[in-house]
């Protein structure tokens, strides 16, 4: 029974499940209020920001009145040829880490793509109807995340570590902390809306993650609502 979790955001849900079972090793697929309310932009979430997103899977769980699926793995994984596997993995990792792209990704994460796209004139606002933003977009470049960064994290087993961990220490959004935002979140909630304040973009991304909303589709829908308003619809 998950009635005591219904209405909680997905971060709270995962923490309560761990606390109730007295086990930090538990991992959960969870939905937030967006999935509970059958919002068609709702994600299934794991961790602070990992999302099975874009297609409304959170609404599918919500329609079945499933708040979360929690698991705890305790058995070993047996490998038939461990030495050969380790040698192969070392070769792959060495090849990966020598690439300039990967070295840059370790430094800036996926938001590094925004500057490259904007400089090429490929980033458009207003769901593609606006003009390229040019130098106006500089406040949302990846370098501007540095002032909020606590370091870089990685997905399980990945040597690259391209995930920003951040905290906003002062101002209107003081106390906001989490992981990200990634390329898509800054693009959809920032560039696309001509919303060029990094702190409020981070905060919007943070709200989406906690509510279980897809950051990309949320930004697109907000832009669509703005377009309707401008046309008097």
């Amino acid at each position: 029974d998950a009635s005591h979790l219904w209405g909680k955001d997905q971060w709270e849900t995962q923490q309560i499940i761990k606390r109730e079972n007295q086990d930090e090793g538990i991992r959960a697929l969870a939905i937030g209020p967006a999935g509970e309310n059958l919002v068609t932009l709702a994600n299934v979430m794991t961790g602070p920001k990992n999302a099975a997103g874009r297609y409304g899977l959170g609404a599918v769980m919500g329609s079945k009145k499933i708040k979360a699926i929690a698991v705890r793995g305790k058995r070993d994984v047996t490998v038939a040829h461990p030495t050969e596997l380790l040698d192969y993995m070392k070769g792959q990792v060495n090849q990966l880490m020598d690439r300039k792209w990967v070295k840059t990704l370790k430094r800036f994460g996926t938001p590094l793509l925004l500057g490259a796209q904007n400089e090429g004139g490929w980033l458009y606002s207003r769901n593609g109807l606006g003009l390229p933003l040019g130098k106006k977009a500089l406040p949302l470049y990846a370098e501007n995340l540095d002032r909020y960064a606590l370091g870089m994290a990685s997905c399980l087993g990945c040597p690259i570590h391209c995930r920003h961990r951040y905290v906003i220490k002062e101002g209107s959004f003081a106390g906001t902390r989490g992981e990200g935002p990634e390329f898509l979140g800054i693009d959809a909630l920032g560039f696309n809306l001509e919303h060029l304040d990094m702190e409020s973009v981070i905060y919007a991304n943070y709200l989406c993650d906690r509510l279980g909303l897809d950051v990309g589709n949320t930004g697109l829908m907000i832009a669509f609502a703005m377009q309707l308003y401008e046309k008097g619809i």
Side-chain angles (χ1 to χ4, degrees):
D1 177 57
S3 57
H4 65 298
L5 299 174
W6 209 252
K8 303 287 187 187
D9 72 42
Q10 64 95 6
W11 287 13
E12 294 173 306
T13 299
Q14 294 184 56
Q15 292 306 311
I16 291 170
I17 290 171
K18 290 179 181 182
R19 190 163 61 245
E20 287 180 344
N21 290 278
Q22 299 181 329
D23 191 342
E24 286 295 315
I26 286 176
R27 295 291 180 265
L29 298 160
I31 60 172
E36 293 176 15
N37 288 289
L38 311 186
V39 176
T40 54
L41 314 180
N43 293 340
V44 177
M45 307 290 295
T46 66
K49 72 174 183 66
N50 292 18
R54 306 313 300 268
Y55 304 110
L57 294 176
V60 176
M61 279 183 61
S63 72
K64 300 177 185 300
K65 294 291 188 284
I66 299 172
K67 179 64 176 177
I69 301 169
V71 297
R72 176 63 162 98
K74 294 182 178 179
R75 297 174 62 181
D76 290 334
V77 176
T78 302
V79 178
H81 303 284
T83 302
E84 292 87 341
L85 177 62
L86 187 60
D87 289 342
Y88 179 78
M89 185 190 75
K90 286 180 179 178
Q92 292 295 307
V93 169
N94 290 338
Q95 182 179 352
L96 185 70
M97 300 307 287
D98 282 341
R99 296 176 184 268
K100 290 181 180 179
W101 157 252
V102 169
K103 292 177 181 179
T104 310
L105 195 62
K106 283 172 65 73
R107 169 73 176 80
F108 294 112
T110 61
L112 72 89
L113 294 165
L114 295 163
Q117 285 200 305
N118 190 53
E119 297 297 327
W122 308 325
L123 268 183
Y124 292 85
S125 60
R126 305 187 181 202
N127 287 351
L129 298 179
L131 296 173
L133 296 176
K135 293 191 181 299
K136 288 197 302 181
L138 290 175
L140 295 187
Y141 277 26
E143 297 90 324
N144 294 296
L145 288 168
D146 282 352
R147 61 183 295 191
Y148 313 106
L150 297 172
M152 303 294 274
S154 75
C155 298
L156 181 64
C158 180
I160 297 176
H161 294 79
C162 71
R163 302 162 65 121
H164 285 91
R165 284 187 170 167
Y166 65 82
V167 62
I168 299 177
K169 295 181 179 179
E170 54 189 15
S172 301
F173 308 110
T176 301
R177 61 173 61 236
E179 284 190 0
E182 299 293 337
F183 160 81
L184 182 60
I186 298 176
D187 183 12
L189 297 168
F191 284 92
N192 191 45
L193 304 178
E194 297 182 7
H195 169 213
L196 305 177
D197 179 79
M198 181 63 89
E199 287 192 5
S200 56
V201 170
I202 290 173
Y203 184 68
N205 191 94
Y206 160 87
L207 289 178
C208 286
D209 285 342
R210 297 201 66 152
L211 294 170
L213 280 170
D214 186 85
V215 293
N217 286 337
T218 299
L220 297 176
M221 289 302 294
I222 292 172
F224 178 55
M226 292 166 68
Q227 291 167 332
L228 293 178
Y229 177 80
E230 288 172 350
K231 294 179 181 296
I233 300 174

